[in-house]
Amino acid sequence: MTDESRGIGGTVGPPWSVDVLADLHAGVLDEREAAELWPLVNADPEALAIIEALEATTADLAELANEPVAPMPAEYAARIDAALAAEMRATPAFQGASERQQEQVAPVVDLAAARRRRNKRIGWGAGIATVAAAAIAAVAIVVPTTREPDSGGIAQPAPSAPSGPSLGGDGGGAEALVGKAIGVRDFGSLKTEERLDACVTAAGMDADVRPEGIRPVNVAGKDGVMVIYTTGKLAQFRIVAFGADCGPGNPSVLFDKIIGPK
């Protein structure tokens, strides 16, 4: 980017560079720059109007994943299945196979159903990274070599150390993380969307409301997951952090705060 007004060291303010505001909204600026720019932006109606437009565009794009998709017409699905079957029959590795084996060609799936399953399982934007992180965490569990007398003879995994950016016990410092967390779906120690939904429900919140971002944090030394929601007000967000031990009947809310203009 060639915009000379970019950066805290340069001229920042009216007239605002759209590139700078887009970078701030997207979370690509470092935490120090973001922490200094947000108060200036929140105090400037023109800057807030641009941020509002960016948020509206982000929300519109996110909703596209939930739009209904008509199923593929049966005649086209049948043609594709037939073409796949013919290709398999023409492959030397499959020549001489039984009729039963040839008929085991995967059917063409309903695109709308596939999209719904994909969105539910891996979420928007960071699904592959989340699954990979969960797999690494599962492999990294350390099992003690000795059994504790009160463990019922079952070896217990060692507790994991808190991860993610450090925040104060009241959520201090969370505002600087919002830009980088928008669009992120990293469930951290909770690992799955289902576990987070259980925590949200235990806290008396609606698990069907889609967060704008999810990322692991360290709240006063405690491992947690920060969840960002819109409030319906321009540039204002509700941030809720759940502890790693949250679940049904135990919300374990580390902090719950509103940031942005009141």
Side-chain angles (χ1 to χ4, degrees):
M1 190 178 74
T2 59
D3 192 329
E4 294 181 356
S5 65
R6 163 102 180 248
I8 299 301
T11 301
V12 177
W16 286 91
S17 164
V18 176
D19 286 341
V20 170
L21 294 176
D23 287 351
L24 177 63
H25 180 264
V28 299
L29 302 180
D30 63 40
E31 295 182 8
R32 180 184 62 83
E33 289 181 325
E36 294 183 25
L37 280 179
W38 274 116
L40 299 177
V41 170
N42 289 333
D44 190 310
E46 293 185 0
L48 285 177
I50 296 175
I51 293 293
E52 181 179 15
L54 292 170
E55 289 182 358
T57 301
T58 300
D60 289 343
L61 292 174
E63 286 301 319
L64 288 178
N66 299 321
E67 289 296 319
V69 178
M72 179 180 291
E75 59 178 301
Y76 296 115
R79 290 181 187 177
I80 294 176
D81 284 343
L84 291 174
E87 182 67 23
M88 293 180 67
R89 287 194 295 270
T91 302
F94 288 91
Q95 291 178 354
S98 66
E99 186 66 20
R100 177 175 174 274
Q101 290 173 319
Q102 293 178 5
E103 291 176 352
Q104 291 177 345
V105 179
V108 177
V109 300
D110 184 319
L111 295 181
R115 175 178 287 181
R116 287 193 298 270
R117 290 195 299 270
R118 178 202 63 193
N119 290 344
K120 183 62 178 175
R121 290 176 181 174
I122 66 176
W124 174 47
I128 294 177
T130 302
V131 174
I136 293 172
V139 173
I141 291 177
V142 178
V143 180
T145 57
T146 59
R147 295 180 177 178
E148 297 294 335
D150 60 349
S151 66
I154 301 175
Q156 301 295 319
S160 58
S163 61
S166 295
L167 301 177
D170 60 351
E175 182 172 342
L177 300 179
V178 170
K180 292 183 179 180
I182 295 294
V184 174
R185 294 183 67 82
D186 184 347
F187 299 98
S189 57
L190 296 181
K191 296 185 174 64
T192 66
E193 185 174 22
E194 288 72 17
R195 282 198 60 190
L196 176 59
D197 286 348
C199 300
V200 171
T201 301
M205 301 164 59
D206 187 354
D208 290 332
V209 176
R210 185 180 181 85
E212 294 299 308
I214 305 165
R215 66 169 298 173
V217 289
N218 178 343
V219 182
K222 296 180 180 179
D223 194 14
V225 175
M226 183 179 79
V227 187
I228 304 171
Y229 297 95
T230 56
T231 64
K233 293 185 178 181
L234 178 62
Q236 186 183 84
F237 298 92
R238 179 184 182 184
I239 305 179
V240 184
F242 296 97
D245 59 341
C246 69
N250 177 31
S252 187
V253 175
L254 302 180
F255 66 79
D256 183 348
K257 63 184 299 184
I258 301 293
I259 66 169
K262 304 300 183 182

